[in-house]
Every structure is written in structure tokens, then in C-alpha cells.
């Protein structure tokens, strides 16, 4: 017997998603601060893709496993999903505090592996948490509220870099500016406190008696999560395979953007690189934080507006338009030489980022069995991280041999890939019943 899910108030939906703010603050630092930090520690531009390998690999390994485990977990006091994202938030908080104390490039790279593992432990159960709690008519609001907190968290992470760079001077003996420390310390605090808020404010829906009996009857061993993942992949609905194609181009492009946008802006506006003039590059990196913060402002301002558009026109067409807006943004960005004009193309990119963080889940969630939300949300994350792994292994050669080792060309290349993702989205069947209009 399936449980009838009660509708939640808007305040309750906000409370259950507040923890996503801390997770995404950490993600924002990874987007904007880790690349420059690698540069401060002596990394070369062509090495950046491999140094960012931690994110996709840990996501590939951890999210589907955590999802499978959380599907089979229930504790009357601690719940099903909440223990996982609480443990992840604690580990994330400790890593963020330690990150700016890195003494070498490889120490920083190692900490990124641990940080990404913690973020992935927290993030995947959060996706399933939304699907667990909300009835169909509130799924759009739930997932796009996560987009809102994604934008807010990443905005504050990026703006903190600009603010602290303006007021905190000096650097450590290994060359890391002290303003970087401030942003990571704030992230450490936000990570744990925001997740604790959601944990305390939002009870989970207990499984039915039939589900509990089934859970307790199953014999468990360490290989069960892996068997669950392979079985779920074998039974995936067709729409998830189609989403995988969209994600191949979408996330390859986004990983290029996060790795190379500080370098692109340094070239196009400051006419320098991290190897030519480190002081000018610091200015460019801090300004990039402000630019990225601005597109995330657009993200959290537009997230709830996209809810209405998805209900009116369908999530598929909203996502196509948003991807095309991001395409135009990235094609324009490398041609701009005035730092103040950089904000204009970020409007389209910010709206697209809101769509990317919420709309694709609406395309598939109603096709998934509710008792396997966790493992399938983990598999969706595999669709995100596999393109990232492909990018880290392949893009160094593309950057040097095809794009002339010019980060501005890398950003334009990412724009073209987003256009291909929009075309792939057009082949996903439109299913009007996915999102109730009332």
C-alpha cells in the first residue's frame, strides 16, 4: 500500500532545503576558488583538468552507493536520508576549514578528493529526500527550491572571495592569499549549520509496514549496493538514457567553464595569465568570483519563476530555451574586454543554471519507482560525473592541440557543447502529465 503524501507549506519546503545552501556554498568555492588556489601553488593551465578529477570520480563511486544504501535504511529516530547528508556535511565542514592550509599542490588535490566525497555523500540523499517527501504537484517547487539555494549558496561563496580580497591582505608562506582563508572558513560554518537546520526542522516519512518487513527480511552484504546499481541501470526507463545524452554535452561544457573562466577573464580583460603577472591574476580571480556570484544571483531570483514556466509549457521546452541562453552567454563572454560588461551574458547563464539544477529531475522522477529513488538519483549523478571524467581525461589535449592553449577558446567551445545539449533535449518525449498545473 502506498502512502499518501501530504502537501507541505512553502515554509516547510524552504526548511527542508536550507541544508542545500551549505552544500552549494562548498560547491561554489570549488567552482571559483580551487582553480586559482591551484595556480597559487604552482599549477600550470594544462594541468587543471586532471587536478579536478576528484569531483567526477568521487561522484561516480559514492553517490549511487549512498543512494542504494539510503533506500534500504530506516531508523525511527534518525530517518532514512538525513543521516547520510548530516555525515557528509560534517566531513565537508572539516575539509573546508583545512583546505587553505594546504602546503603543496598535491595536498590541496588530496583534500579536494575528501571534500568531494563528503559533498557527494550529502548531496545525493538530498535529491531523494525531495522525491520522498513531496506529492507530484509539489515536485517542481521542491526541486527548483534546491535551485534557489544552489544559486544563493554559490553566490555568497563567490561574493565572499571578492569582499575578502578587498579587505584582507597578505599571503601564507606557500603563496596562498589570506583572503582565500576567509571564504573557506565561512563555508565550513555554513556547511554544518544549514544542514543541521533542515535535519531538525523536517521529519521524514516513515516507510509502510510492508516496506519495513521487506527491508528486514533482506539479507545484506557489502556487495548489495553494487548489485542494486547494476540492476537499476539494466531496468532504467528510456527517458533516463535520453537524459544521459543531454548530460554528456551539458556537464562536459560546465566543467570546462568552471576550470577555465578565471583564466579566460584574465586574458580577455586583464591581458595576463597566472604565469605572467600573479597580482593581476589575483584581481581577475577575485572579479571572476563576483561574476560567478552574479550569475548565481540570477539563479536564485529565477528559480521560482521557472516553476510556473515548467507547469505552463513543460519542463522539456523550458530546459531547451535555457540551454540556448547559456550557449549565447558563453559565446559572447570571451569577446568582452570591459570587466563591467562581463555581467550581461551571465544573466542567460544564471537562468540556465537554475534550470540545470532542477528541471531535468522533473523529466524523469515520475518514471522512477519510489522505493528506488535513492539509487536512481545516484545513477543520474553518474550521468553528470561520467562526462566530467571524460572531460578531465580528454580536454587537456583538446585545449593544447585544437584550441591553441587559449582559455577564451575553451569557453567558446563550452558554448557550442551546450547548444548540442539543447538539440538532444528536443528528442526527449513531451509528457504533459509529469507536472500537474494546479
Amino acid at each position: 500500500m502506498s502512502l499518501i503524501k501530504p502537501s507541505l507549506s512553502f515554509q516547510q519546503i524552504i526548511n527542508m532545503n536550507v541544508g542545500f545552501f551549505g552544500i552549494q556554498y562548498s560547491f561554489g568555492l570549488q567552482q571559483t576558488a580551487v582553480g586559482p588556489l591551484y595556480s597559487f601553488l604552482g599549477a600550470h593551465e594544462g594541468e587543471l583538468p586532471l587536478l579536478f578529477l576528484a569531483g567526477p570520480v568521487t561522484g561516480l563511486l559514492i553517490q549511487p552507493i549512498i543512494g542504494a544504501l539510503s533506500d534500504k535504511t530506516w531508523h525511527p529516530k534518525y530517518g532514512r536520508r538525513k543521516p547520510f547528508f548530516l555525515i557528509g556535511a560534517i566531513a565537508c565542514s572539516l575539509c573546508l576549514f583545512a583546505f587553505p592550509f594546504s602546503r603543496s599542490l598535491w595536498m590541496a588535490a588530496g583534500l579536494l578528493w575528501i571534500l568531494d566525497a563528503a559533498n557527494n555523500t550529502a548531496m545525493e540523499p538530498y535529491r531523494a529526500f525531495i522525491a520522498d517527501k513531496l506529492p507530484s504537484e509539489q515536485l517542481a517547487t521542491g526541486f527548483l527550491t534546491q535551485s534557489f539555494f544552489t544559486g544563493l549558496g554559490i553566490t555568497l561563496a563567490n561574493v565572499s572571495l571578492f569582499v575578502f580580497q578587498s579587505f584582507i591582505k597578505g599571503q601564507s608562506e606557500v603563496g596562498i592569499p589570506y583572503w582565500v582563508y576567509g571564504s573557506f572558513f565561512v563555508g565550513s560554518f555554513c556547511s554544518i549549520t544549514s544542514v543541521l537546520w533542515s535535519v531538525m526542522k523536517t521529519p521524514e516519512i516513515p516507510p509502510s509496514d510492508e516496506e519495513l518487513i521487506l527491508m528486514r527480511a533482506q539479507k545484506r552484504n557489502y556487495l548489495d549496493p553494487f548489485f542494486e546499481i547494476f540492476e537499476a541501470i539494466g531496468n532504467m526507463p528510456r527517458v533516463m538514457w535520453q537524459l544521459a545524452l543531454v548530460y554528456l554535452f551539458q556537464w562536459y561544457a560546465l566543467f570546462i567553464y568552471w576550470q577555465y573562466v578565471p583564466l579566460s577573464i584574465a586574458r580577455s580583460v586583464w591581458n595576463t595569465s597566472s604565469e605572467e603577472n600573479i597580482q593581476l591574476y589575483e584581481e581577475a580571480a577575485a572579479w571572476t568570483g563576483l561574476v560567478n556570484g552574479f550569475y548565481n544571483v540570477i539563479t536564485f531570483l529565477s528559480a521560482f519563476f521557472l516553476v510556473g514556466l515548467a507547469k505552463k509549457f513543460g519542463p522539456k521546452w523550458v530546459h531547451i530555451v535555457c540551454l540556448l541562453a547559456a550557449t549565447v552567454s558563453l559565446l559572447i563572454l570571451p569577446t568582452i574586454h570591459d570587466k563591467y560588461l562581463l555581467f550581461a551574458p551571465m544573466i542567460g547563464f544564471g537562468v540556465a543554471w537554475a534550470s540545470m539544477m532542477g528541471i531535468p529531475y522533473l523529466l524523469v522522477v515520475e518514471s522512477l519507482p519510489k522505493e528506488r529513488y535513492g539509487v536512481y538519483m545516484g545513477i543520474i549523478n553518474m550521468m553528470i560525473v561520467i562526462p566530467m571524467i571524460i572531460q578531465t581525461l580528454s580536454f587537456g589535449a583538446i585545449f593544447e592541440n585544437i584550441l591553441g592553449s587559449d582559455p577564451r577558446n575553451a569557453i567558446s567551445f563550452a558554448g557550442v557543447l551546450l547548444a548540442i545539449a539543447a538539440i538532444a533535449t528536443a528528442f526527449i518525449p513531451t509528457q504533459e502529465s509529469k507536472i500537474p498545473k494546479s
Side-chain angles (χ1 to χ4, degrees):
M1 180 180 67
S2 61
L3 295 172
I4 297 175
K5 301 176 187 178
S7 295
L8 302 186
S9 69
F10 184 67
Q11 181 61 51
Q12 289 173 316
I13 294 175
I14 292 292
N15 283 337
M16 70 187 292
N17 281 293
V18 164
F20 218 68
F21 163 76
I23 295 170
Q24 293 300 319
Y25 189 109
S26 170
F27 189 50
L29 290 178
Q30 291 181 57
Q31 285 184 10
T32 305
V34 170
L37 190 146
Y38 280 155
S39 297
F40 298 141
L41 291 171
H44 300 294
E45 293 179 356
E47 296 175 322
L48 289 179
L50 284 176
L51 289 169
F52 276 91
L53 189 60
V57 170
T58 54
L60 179 65
L61 295 175
I62 288 176
Q63 284 213 22
I65 293 173
I66 293 296
L69 288 172
S70 68
D71 282 339
K72 304 298 183 183
T73 298
W74 175 254
H75 189 280
K77 182 177 180 181
Y78 302 112
R80 169 179 282 177
R81 316 292 183 185
K82 292 194 292 187
F84 293 95
F85 53 77
L86 182 57
I87 291 168
I90 293 170
C92 179
S93 182
L94 294 173
C95 285
L96 287 172
F97 186 84
F99 213 106
F101 293 101
S102 298
R103 308 288 295 179
S104 67
L105 183 60
W106 293 108
M107 179 179 174
L111 278 171
L112 183 61
W113 280 83
I114 301 171
L115 177 62
D116 263 306
N119 264 344
N120 281 299
T121 299
M123 191 181 302
E124 189 285 328
Y126 232 124
R127 301 289 193 195
F129 187 45
I130 299 302
D132 288 341
K133 284 282 291 183
L134 296 178
S136 295
E137 64 269 16
Q138 290 191 310
L139 286 173
T141 304
F143 283 119
L144 286 164
T145 299
Q146 289 194 345
S147 294
F148 170 84
F149 280 113
T150 294
L152 183 61
I154 297 176
T155 295
L156 294 182
N158 287 302
V159 170
S160 74
L161 292 169
F162 178 78
V163 172
F164 288 137
Q165 194 262 351
S166 301
F167 294 102
I168 302 176
K169 305 301 179 183
Q171 62 183 34
S172 69
E173 60 185 35
V174 296
I176 298 175
Y178 287 133
W179 53 268
V180 174
Y181 286 64
S183 294
F184 277 89
F185 291 166
V186 172
S188 179
F189 174 79
C190 290
S191 177
I192 187 62
T193 55
S194 64
V195 169
L196 279 173
W197 178 275
S198 288
V199 166
M200 292 186 295
K201 292 286 186 179
T202 310
E204 294 196 61
I205 297 176
S208 66
D209 292 339
E210 292 86 348
E211 289 174 311
L212 281 173
I213 291 170
L214 185 60
M215 281 185 195
R216 291 165 181 165
Q218 290 177 328
K219 293 182 178 180
R220 306 292 298 275
N221 64 63
Y222 295 114
L223 296 178
D224 280 350
F226 298 97
F227 293 139
E228 289 254 350
I229 293 164
F230 287 118
E231 181 187 355
I233 291 173
N235 294 320
M236 272 199 328
R238 183 183 176 191
V239 68
M240 283 191 65
W241 290 107
Q242 293 172 306
L243 182 64
L245 181 62
V246 175
Y247 271 11
L248 173 63
F249 297 102
Q250 175 181 303
W251 289 98
Y252 194 113
L254 289 173
F255 222 44
I256 294 172
Y257 173 83
W258 292 323
Q259 290 168 1
Y260 285 94
V261 69
L263 298 164
S264 175
I265 289 175
R267 290 281 183 92
S268 63
V269 178
W270 276 266
N271 196 29
T272 191
S273 70
S274 60
E275 298 172 359
E276 294 170 356
N277 189 319
I278 194 64
Q279 289 184 330
L280 286 179
Y281 179 71
E282 277 192 42
E283 290 182 27
W287 195 261
T288 301
L290 199 61
V291 170
N292 282 346
F294 176 76
Y295 89 67
N296 280 284
V297 169
I298 301 300
T299 294
F300 73 74
L301 290 177
S302 61
F304 294 118
F305 177 66
L306 291 182
V307 174
L309 291 180
K311 289 179 178 179
K312 183 175 182 180
F313 299 107
K316 166 184 167 178
W317 298 109
V318 170
H319 197 55
I320 289 171
V321 172
C322 289
L323 286 172
L324 292 176
T327 296
V328 174
S329 297
L330 294 195
L331 293 177
I332 292 174
L333 188 66
T335 69
I336 295 173
H337 305 294
D338 184 325
K339 66 180 183 180
Y340 296 103
L341 294 180
L342 292 171
F343 296 101
M346 289 298 98
I347 295 173
F349 192 79
V351 174
W353 181 232
S355 178
M356 293 173 198
M357 293 303 292
I359 294 293
Y361 296 94
L362 299 177
L363 295 171
V364 300
V365 68
E366 295 285 352
S367 301
L368 306 178
K370 69 179 184 65
E371 68 275 7
R372 307 191 80 177
Y373 279 154
V375 69
Y376 274 116
M377 292 297 167
I379 291 170
I380 290 174
N381 190 69
M382 291 173 67
M383 298 175 186
I384 294 172
V385 299
I386 288 173
M388 291 181 174
I389 293 173
I390 295 171
Q391 190 271 346
T392 59
L393 296 176
S394 65
F395 192 69
I398 295 172
F399 181 72
E400 293 177 357
N401 299 316
I402 298 177
L403 302 178
S405 296
D406 190 330
R408 293 168 293 188
N409 293 337
I411 300 301
S412 298
F413 183 72
V416 172
L417 293 180
L418 289 176
I420 297 173
I423 294 170
T425 305
F427 288 94
I428 295 178
T430 301
Q431 298 180 358
E432 299 292 345
S433 62
K434 295 290 184 202
I435 304 176
K437 292 178 167 47
S438 61

